Amino acid sequence: MTLAAAHLDLLLANALENPYTVLGLHPHPEQSGNRAIVRVYRPDANAVAVVVAGETYPAQPVGHPHVFEAEIPLPVPFAYQLQLTGGQGGDRSCTIPMPLRNCP
């Protein structure tokens, strides 16, 4: 996990002036620009994957069941989609392009 507990707490308290300092696409802090991190907060999902150029990278919960993080073996920037599964019904799924928009 690359997300600091303090940043997670601020995100969940809606206390970050700009949540995209934590969420979205970022260079991996420990990989000298050769890898990326994608973080999402999706209370409507039980599982998240990041899709890049046809490859799917599962995201793992980080410190909270609806905050997810995926490591991508590519330097930034790149286009990606989020594959969301779950939600209140448990079986809903959709793929959304980034930047953010709501599931249909």
Side-chain angles (χ1 to χ4, degrees):
M1 175 171 94
T2 63
L3 182 58
H7 287 126
L8 178 62
D9 292 343
L10 289 170
L11 175 69
L12 295 173
N14 199 24
L16 286 173
E17 184 174 321
N18 179 359
Y20 295 101
T21 59
V22 173
L23 299 175
L25 175 63
H26 299 277
H28 193 293
E30 301 164 3
Q31 297 294 325
S32 302
N34 295 325
R35 296 179 74 80
I37 295 287
V38 175
R39 283 190 213 97
V40 297
Y41 173 60
R42 294 302 301 216
D44 59 341
N46 297 330
V48 173
V50 179
V51 181
V52 180
E55 295 289 326
T56 301
Y57 303 93
Q60 304 301 317
V62 288
H64 185 274
H66 300 295
V67 178
F68 299 89
E69 179 178 281
E71 289 192 29
I72 314 298
L74 297 168
V76 296
F78 52 80
Y80 65 97
Q81 297 177 314
L82 295 179
Q83 206 171 55
L84 308 175
T85 305
Q88 293 179 346
D91 60 354
R92 183 182 107 160
S93 67
C94 68
T95 302
I96 58 174
M98 298 309 291
L100 296 174
R101 73 171 181 80
N102 293 327
C103 286

